[in-house]
Amino acid sequence: MTCCRICNFKLKKIIDFGKIALVGNFSKKKNQRKYKISLNYCQSCKHVQISEHLKPDLLFKNYLWETGVSKSNLYLLNDLIKRLKKSGISKNSKILEIASNDGSFIKILKKQFKSFVLGIDPAQNLAKKANSEKVFTINKFFNFNLSKKIQKKFRKFDFIFARNVVAHLNNPNEIFKGVENLLSEDGIFILEVPHLLNIIKQNQYDNIFHEHIGFHSLKSINDLCKRNKLQVLDVDLINSQGGSIRCFISKSKIENKISKKVDNILNIEKRSKLFSNKDLEKFEIKIKKHIKDFKAMIKKLKKNKKKISIYGASGKGQAFMQFNKIDNKIIDYVFDKSKLKQGKLTPGTNIKILNPKLLTRQKVDYLLILSWNIKEEIIKQETNFRKNGGKFIIPFPRPKVLN
Ligand SMILES: [Zn+2]
């Protein structure tokens, strides 16, 4: 069994899910290989994490999720840019993004501020795309060793970003150590990560899959900072990935004013019992009840001969489908805008993915939205489906049909 990825202490199991296929493995082939997955917490620092350790190449070399695709994402980026202006970003700033995906974000910064930007991403397909659009991207996994090479060539950076990547790391201390090495004396490290608070409080167990190795709180980020000569200066709660924290981090030797929000959120986490063994272990019962309720709801619809399809072939959708043992007796199709996924099968559940343009009332009575974090966007986009009598199902916090 793996030890805690932050402090190396022993882990204790919260729930064992058995085996699932990798949620990013969209392919035309059925019967994909499945891997064990279980949720655990550290008995010392309480960091919540899966215990399985898969090779990163298996998970991220050919990643199909492109930042450019979702509108809600672009909105979040604009919000971040406003904040960066206040922090003094300019044409003299040097910017590094870890896990820069297809380069969409730093491309905007480059255009708007004329700053020097550098991306790092392990996915060959995405790094290639970014480079072809003149956003210089190193096609590697970021770690301390790579940070030393980058430092030799590019020196220090004023802004370093790591958005939605810390949760994906087998050794999160490596990224913090690497950032500490590359950050200029008064530089800012901006990190975004889904907040454990929402995952536990809103029962978001569809967030649990092999790519999501750690489930972070502000406390766990604070613990990582302290171990690596960094400090959290400020934090925002943002509406990304079902609720995330955006942390502003500096070197710890710099005397900076620390925002009151940091203590506030640390206290909220403590009061919400995110670090209580008893409460963490209760998560299993909540998950099992949700699965039971969802099945009962679908069974009733199928008894009335309703045709149900899914909208959103996101990673979390694939985890949800597999935990709920969804198959083609229940669901006819999965609709998704990503051209990279269309025509392929959902991993582990083998349902065909189609272009949402093919979505009609003849084919679908109920549309289960599994990319529920962008449900407003999807509902707005599918107005015609609704006008013609189609209905939406939202799975969280409780499965329900929208009226
Ligand atoms: Zn620990």
Side-chain angles (χ1 to χ4, degrees):
M1 178 125 173
T2 321
C3 289
C4 174
R5 291 177 173 92
I6 294 179
C7 77
N8 219 22
F9 202 79
K10 272 184 277 176
L11 299 182
K12 189 158 188 226
K13 198 154 281 175
I14 296 173
I15 180 169
D16 192 335
F17 285 106
K19 286 182 176 181
I20 63 169
L22 303 179
V23 301
N25 251 353
F26 296 92
S27 150
K28 288 185 177 167
K29 277 187 286 186
K30 283 187 180 177
N31 303 323
Q32 299 241 10
R33 187 168 165 197
K34 295 184 176 179
Y35 302 84
K36 280 187 182 168
I37 186 156
S38 66
L39 191 69
N40 306 262
Y41 69 93
C42 168
Q43 295 184 64
S44 173
C45 77
K46 314 294 173 185
H47 177 44
V48 176
Q49 55 205 292
I50 64 170
S51 63
E52 290 71 19
H53 182 119
L54 296 183
K55 279 202 182 117
D57 270 6
L58 204 57
L59 300 170
F60 301 112
K61 263 243 150 121
N62 197 20
Y63 204 44
L64 295 190
W65 196 77
E66 291 170 87
T67 318
V69 175
S70 133
K71 271 185 203 154
S72 313
N73 241 306
L74 289 176
Y75 172 78
L76 270 168
L77 294 185
N78 287 331
D79 181 55
L80 176 55
I81 288 170
K82 268 189 212 152
R83 183 85 200 233
L84 291 173
K85 280 184 187 162
K86 281 187 200 157
S87 305
I89 197 166
S90 74
K91 69 176 189 327
N92 299 321
S93 307
K94 280 169 71 190
I95 299 166
L96 174 74
E97 185 171 31
I98 299 165
S100 48
N101 200 278
D102 62 0
S104 309
F105 175 55
I106 44 177
K107 195 173 155 189
I108 296 171
L109 298 184
K110 187 180 166 187
K111 203 174 153 201
Q112 191 160 344
F113 302 104
K114 316 267 179 286
S115 317
F116 171 82
V117 301
L118 175 66
I120 304 168
D121 202 281
Q124 281 165 355
N125 53 333
L126 298 177
K128 203 174 151 191
K129 189 180 167 212
N131 278 316
S132 75
E133 289 167 13
K134 300 206 164 52
V135 179
F136 183 48
T137 302
I138 301 173
N139 183 210
K140 285 212 165 87
F141 284 100
F142 183 78
N143 55 29
F144 183 60
N145 234 338
L146 183 64
S147 85
K148 287 195 281 191
K149 286 182 192 155
I150 292 174
Q151 206 217 338
K152 252 191 193 156
K153 197 162 175 193
F154 300 99
R155 321 290 298 172
K156 305 271 180 183
F157 289 83
D158 307 299
F159 292 90
I160 301 181
F161 296 92
R163 298 174 310 120
N164 291 312
V165 59
V166 173
H168 296 178
L169 303 170
N170 258 320
N171 185 353
N173 280 297
E174 274 271 319
I175 211 172
F176 281 71
K177 199 174 157 194
V179 165
E180 203 278 331
N181 185 36
L182 286 175
L183 200 62
S184 66
E185 289 310 294
D186 53 359
I188 302 177
F189 172 35
I190 295 149
L191 169 161
E192 288 174 18
V193 70
H195 196 188
L196 176 69
L197 183 74
N198 298 301
I199 293 167
I200 300 264
K201 290 292 146 195
Q202 295 175 37
N203 211 8
Q204 298 169 0
Y205 61 90
D206 59 343
N207 249 299
I208 305 165
F209 47 86
H210 297 95
E211 283 88 335
H212 289 172
I213 291 165
F215 297 87
H216 287 275
S217 55
L218 184 56
K219 179 192 177 296
S220 69
I221 297 299
N222 213 8
D223 289 348
L224 281 161
C225 282
K226 281 183 194 159
R227 285 173 168 267
N228 296 285
K229 297 183 276 180
L230 295 166
Q231 63 183 346
V232 181
L233 293 181
D234 201 356
V235 58
D236 285 339
L237 297 174
I238 57 168
N239 187 16
S240 158
Q241 309 278 324
S244 295
I245 46 175
R246 179 184 280 159
C247 304
F248 297 81
I249 293 165
S250 75
K251 295 205 171 194
S252 54
K253 61 181 170 196
I254 302 296
E255 276 205 36
N256 264 316
K257 216 180 131 207
I258 293 178
S259 158
K260 277 183 192 151
K261 280 190 273 176
V262 175
D263 261 346
N264 280 349
I265 292 178
L266 286 172
N267 283 329
I268 290 170
E269 290 180 346
K270 212 169 162 188
R271 277 205 307 275
S272 306
K273 298 187 175 148
L274 291 190
F275 317 115
S276 129
N277 299 358
K278 209 177 100 202
D279 287 81
L280 284 171
E281 284 166 31
K282 268 191 212 155
F283 195 31
E284 179 180 22
I285 302 165
K286 280 169 68 187
I287 293 171
K288 286 189 169 159
K289 175 158 191 319
H290 187 278
I291 291 176
K292 206 176 138 201
D293 291 349
F294 175 75
K295 278 190 178 150
M297 174 187 193
I298 296 296
K299 205 175 158 189
K300 213 169 134 191
L301 293 175
K302 290 314 283 183
K303 218 175 151 187
N304 293 323
K305 306 255 180 303
K306 298 297 181 193
K307 286 172 284 187
I308 313 171
S309 279
I310 284 173
Y311 196 104
S314 55
K316 63 170 116 219
Q318 303 317 304
F320 183 89
M321 287 168 74
Q322 297 190 75
F323 295 151
N324 282 279
K325 303 210 165 28
I326 279 172
D327 59 22
N328 54 15
K329 285 188 201 108
I330 306 171
I331 298 291
D332 302 312
Y333 304 104
V334 173
F335 295 93
D336 196 282
K337 264 183 165 172
S338 164
K339 294 217 160 46
L340 297 170
K341 292 175 185 170
Q342 291 164 9
K344 294 184 174 149
L345 298 173
T346 55
T349 47
N350 304 319
I351 295 171
K352 198 162 185 189
I353 302 167
L354 300 179
N355 187 328
K357 283 183 186 150
L358 300 172
L359 203 166
T360 63
R361 225 357 223 109
Q362 287 76 38
K363 269 194 186 125
V364 187
D365 296 313
Y366 286 81
L367 200 54
L368 168 62
I369 301 185
L370 289 187
S371 300
W372 50 266
N373 50 313
I374 52 165
K375 62 174 186 274
E376 283 86 9
E377 185 180 330
I378 294 168
I379 291 169
K380 210 170 150 195
Q381 178 196 306
E382 299 304 332
T383 327
N384 275 336
F385 168 71
R386 201 174 196 184
K387 260 191 206 149
N388 293 327
K391 288 194 162 75
F392 294 103
I393 303 172
I394 303 293
F396 292 100
R398 246 172 263 116
K400 69 169 186 190
V401 174
L402 287 189
N403 281 316

